Structures are given as structure tokens and as C-alpha cells.
Amino acid sequence: MTPVAGWDLSRCHTFYFDPNAPDNKPVMISGNPPGPPPPPCIPLVNCLPGL
């Protein structure tokens, strides 16, 4: 796995892949995808440290 430049790998990050990017060259976008917000982070339930 190649880390994303500038990301602190000791904490969680939210990202999604651009649905309009070609399959052979995916584009990763930092942040939440458009639409409703994700559920809140509950440690050790839906938000695991280090992932």
C-alpha cells in the first residue's frame, strides 16, 4: 500500500474514489463523499484506531 502524500498515517482519514475516473486510473479524494454525512465515529465499534 502506498501512503497518500501529506497524510499523517497515525490517525484515521476519510476518503472516497471519484466515480467519474476511469477504472484503470482511480482518483482518491480526501474528505466525505457527496450526500448525507456518515455516522459519528464510535471508537472500537465503527472507527478503529490506526485504520
Side-chain angles (χ1 to χ4, degrees):
M1 178 172 82
T2 304
V4 176
W7 278 18
D8 177 359
L9 297 180
S10 67
R11 54 175 285 227
C12 293
H13 292 275
T14 303
F15 67 91
Y16 65 101
F17 289 97
D18 182 355
N20 298 315
D23 289 340
N24 63 343
K25 189 155 185 154
V27 175
M28 194 165 70
I29 301 171
S30 179
N32 292 323
C41 177
I42 303 169
L44 304 177
V45 174
N46 68 350
C47 183
L48 300 176
L51 296 181

